[in-house]
Amino acid sequence: MKKTSTRLADGRELIYYDLRDDTVRDAVDRRPLDRTVTTSEIRRDPLLGDSVAVASHRQGRTYHPPADECPLCPTRGERLSEIPDSSYDVVVFENRFPSLAGDSGRCEVVCFTSDHDASFAGLTGEQARLVLDAWTDRTSELSHLPSVEQVFCFENRGAEIGVTLGHPHGQIYAYPFTTPRTALMLRSLAAHKEAAGGQNLFDAVLERELAGERVVLEGEHWAAFVPYAAHWPYEVHLYPKRRVPDLLALDEAARTEFPQVYLELLRRFDRIFGKGEPPTPYIAAWHQAPFGALEEFDGVTRDDFALHLELFTIRRTSGKLKFLAGSESGMNVFINDVPPERAAERLREVASS
């Protein structure tokens, strides 16, 4: 992997990740852009104890542009975009309309390929590995920023999810706090560690799932399963079999196998609802240990946390979406219409279809 860092016309950082070491990236952003001004603010809810990012400048972000005006495609002639070069393998750049900025963290966009009509599932193994390497590198770089406590790499896919740009891409949020979802995991981890004589909760969950009926696919170094208490109609958790706290700690064997396992998982998601259906909308979310202090979680260290990816769709059946209504949105109590065992069975059924 070759990494080349440059600046866009408004001062934002852009990084090319290339498969070839001899690739030269010297194109200049020719757009007449003023420096980006953001109004991101973090407000803490005193009752719930969580944080909300207030970012009014995002009202003006690009919204469903036609394909020939996509800002994530390469620059071609006088058709200028966020990527100055005329081609790329993987690109990461600071979001022009960030939810988090400055002392409130940082937001980046990850473009998986220059092909506007592609998808992550359509990448080659080599391309998927390059994305993994880019996620890892950005996790490392962002973890050293003084305002950053947790790094979150994710992909939103599909208009039903709320995606406003059709080009295959994901995002990275660098939070100045430990996110509420991670804090819940850490509290459960601490409680289990005390009650079970030091046993690790993530290890116990993975061991139980591998011995059960909800395994979707399994490699030498990775395992994917539908969790016992899945929140979403089709939800799969992907774990490295050797517990590590973050992407940085994955060994070469796990990195090498990852594209094969993850691409197969995504392709099965696209086959869940049968032929003729539009691509399955999904969210793919990497959960990594926070880089900040963990004193409030008694006896828990970063090494106790288990890196994993959670992949889920809001489509519950052909032509129908799972909406977060009263119980889910009002009380955070999910109601799942698809039994996890049936979801796992279906994801195994579509393996060769």
Side-chain angles (χ1 to χ4, degrees):
M1 179 187 76
K2 182 181 180 182
K3 176 183 175 183
T4 307
S5 181
T6 185
R7 293 281 171 180
L8 296 174
D10 55 7
R12 288 175 294 131
E13 185 179 19
L14 179 143
I15 306 139
Y16 295 97
Y17 293 90
D18 286 295
L19 292 167
R20 292 175 53 97
D21 290 337
D22 59 352
T23 303
V24 177
R25 298 295 185 188
D26 55 8
V28 176
D29 185 3
R30 294 180 280 130
R31 296 173 297 170
L33 298 179
D34 295 327
R35 280 201 165 267
T36 301
V37 178
T38 64
T39 56
S40 180
E41 176 188 359
I42 300 296
R43 296 187 181 183
R44 188 166 180 81
D45 186 319
L47 295 179
L48 297 179
D50 59 8
S51 298
V52 176
V54 180
S56 60
H57 63 277
R58 284 174 54 78
Q59 288 281 33
R61 66 188 186 275
T62 308
Y63 187 80
H64 292 298
D68 60 358
E69 295 179 17
C70 175
L72 305 186
C73 288
T75 288
R76 302 278 169 79
E78 295 307 308
R79 183 183 171 282
L80 309 180
S81 76
E82 288 278 66
I83 295 91
D85 217 323
S86 59
S87 66
Y88 64 84
D89 292 333
V90 172
V91 163
V92 177
F93 60 88
E94 288 184 76
N95 198 322
R96 191 177 178 186
F97 304 96
S99 303
L100 309 166
D103 292 339
S104 297
R106 175 157 156 153
C107 293
E108 298 182 339
V109 176
V110 184
C111 298
F112 303 140
T113 170
S114 60
D115 184 353
H116 181 85
D117 297 317
S119 67
F120 201 119
L123 299 181
T124 66
E126 187 179 39
Q127 289 173 310
R129 169 60 190 265
L130 184 60
V131 176
L132 175 64
D133 290 343
W135 283 331
T136 305
D137 181 72
R138 295 316 301 154
T139 296
S140 176
E141 293 291 329
L142 293 170
S143 72
H144 290 96
L145 296 180
S147 64
V148 172
E149 190 166 311
Q150 186 172 3
V151 179
F152 175 46
C153 306
F154 65 100
E155 180 191 2
N156 296 329
R157 191 244 203 153
E160 299 95 328
I161 297 293
V163 174
T164 58
L165 297 175
H167 196 104
H169 73 288
Q171 299 180 65
I172 302 175
Y173 277 23
Y175 298 101
F177 50 80
T178 297
T179 61
R181 189 173 177 86
T182 302
L184 285 173
M185 293 185 197
L186 291 169
R187 292 189 189 102
S188 296
L189 188 60
H192 183 86
K193 189 174 185 179
E194 181 179 2
Q199 183 191 45
N200 185 278
L201 178 58
F202 287 109
D203 291 350
V205 167
L206 182 57
E207 181 181 358
R208 183 185 71 178
E209 292 293 358
L210 287 178
E213 58 182 318
R214 289 179 297 275
V215 175
V216 173
L217 60 89
E218 184 179 354
E220 183 179 354
H221 303 285
W222 294 86
F225 57 87
V226 178
Y228 171 74
H231 290 58
W232 299 93
Y234 290 92
E235 174 182 342
V236 175
H237 293 188
L238 177 64
Y239 277 68
K241 289 185 176 179
R242 182 179 70 88
R243 173 166 44 89
V244 295
D246 52 38
L247 291 165
L248 303 173
L250 287 173
D251 60 24
E252 183 56 33
R255 293 180 183 281
T256 299
E257 188 181 73
F258 171 77
Q260 171 190 342
V261 175
Y262 187 50
L263 291 174
E264 172 61 20
L265 193 57
L266 292 179
R267 290 161 186 165
R268 291 191 193 188
F269 253 61
D270 272 344
R271 296 194 289 261
I272 295 173
F273 303 105
K275 294 181 180 179
E277 287 291 320
T280 301
Y282 65 73
I283 292 174
W286 280 108
H287 291 263
Q288 306 192 77
F291 290 95
L294 300 178
E295 285 87 354
E296 65 179 292
F297 308 104
D298 295 339
V300 171
T301 69
R302 290 194 79 251
D303 289 337
D304 290 322
F305 195 86
L307 166 77
H308 63 283
L309 181 138
E310 297 184 7
L311 172 69
F312 60 90
T313 179
I314 63 170
R315 187 179 293 164
R316 56 188 174 88
T317 189
S318 180
K320 296 179 181 179
L321 300 180
K322 165 67 177 177
F323 292 102
L324 300 189
S327 185
E328 291 90 351
S329 295
M331 281 298 185
N332 201 28
V333 177
F334 276 67
I335 301 169
N336 192 349
D337 305 303
V338 181
E341 293 74 22
R342 175 53 189 150
E345 182 182 21
R346 177 59 183 157
L347 284 162
R348 291 192 298 268
E349 287 175 350
V350 299
S352 59
S353 60

